[in-house]
Every structure is written in C-alpha cells, then in structure tokens.
Amino acid sequence: MAGISTHILNASIGQPAPQVVVKLLRQFERSIVTLDVQQTDQDGRIKAFQIDKLVKGNYQLVFEVGSYFEQQHVPSFYPRVCIDFTVTDQHQHYHVPLLISPFSYSTYRGS
C-alpha cells in the first residue's frame, strides 16, 4: 500500500520515542505545504500519514525532538530533525525511520 510512515527509536536508551510531534510537508519550488501533523504512538510509530494521494515530488518530515527530550528531563542539542526525501514512485510505500539521541541522529530508508 502506497504511503508514508515513520518510526522513532531513542538509541540512547534503546526504546521507542512516544508522543513526538511529526509534521509531513510537501515541498514545491516556491512553497512548502503542511500535509499532516501527528504524534508517535507508544511504540514510537506513525503507521500512516493522512494524505489524499501520494504523488511524486519532494517531501520533508519534521520531528520535534527537542520537546521529547525536554519531557524526559534530558538536555539535547537538536530542537528538531528535518528529513528531506523524494518520492519517485507514487505506488510504493516510503518508511522513514529516525534513530535519535540527545546529541546525534541518523536515518535511512526503511521497508
């Protein structure tokens, strides 16, 4: 099923990151449009962003990780993580995981 999903793992404690606000944006040449805003569930997942139709183009996921670490009473360096990616086939599913710690992050294209 085509769509976009994500999962956040707090690598510093080896646990999912629940209740992180994540925004899905679509980037055009001269504008950026917010398509959906959700919070990760208890397993650190957003199983599907609510979009009418997945189309080819540039997208961005914005993870509000600063608030998450603040709620954990952990100092951190990044207030948010922004991941830009390109949808090249609107019939595929795009899973974009994020591994976070207070002073680093990494990502990859998942399945």
Side-chain angles (χ1 to χ4, degrees):
M1 179 183 197
I4 299 171
S5 61
T6 192
H7 181 212
I8 307 173
L9 177 68
N10 182 341
S12 65
I13 59 173
Q15 295 182 0
Q19 299 177 340
V20 176
V21 172
V22 183
K23 301 172 191 169
L24 174 64
L25 310 175
R26 173 86 195 278
Q27 299 174 330
F28 297 94
E29 270 190 41
R30 297 191 174 165
S31 65
I32 297 175
V33 176
T34 301
L35 300 178
D36 193 16
V37 179
Q38 294 190 38
Q39 271 192 343
T40 55
D41 63 16
Q42 286 305 108
D43 195 32
R45 296 182 182 275
I46 296 175
K47 294 177 182 171
F49 283 93
Q50 303 302 310
I51 53 178
D52 292 332
K53 183 179 178 184
L54 186 63
V55 296
K56 294 179 182 181
N58 295 320
Y59 291 80
Q60 183 179 69
L61 286 172
V62 179
F63 300 83
E64 299 294 340
V65 298
S67 300
Y68 164 78
F69 283 116
E70 188 175 292
Q71 290 173 356
Q72 306 298 314
H73 305 288
V74 174
S76 65
F77 183 68
Y78 299 103
R80 71 192 48 81
V81 173
C82 302
I83 300 173
D84 296 318
F85 63 99
T86 302
V87 168
T88 56
D89 181 351
Q90 68 272 18
H91 303 293
Q92 288 189 22
H93 183 82
Y94 290 81
H95 184 64
V96 185
L98 177 65
L99 303 172
I100 59 171
S101 70
F103 298 96
S104 68
Y105 67 86
S106 65
T107 186
Y108 57 96
R109 172 140 187 220
S111 57

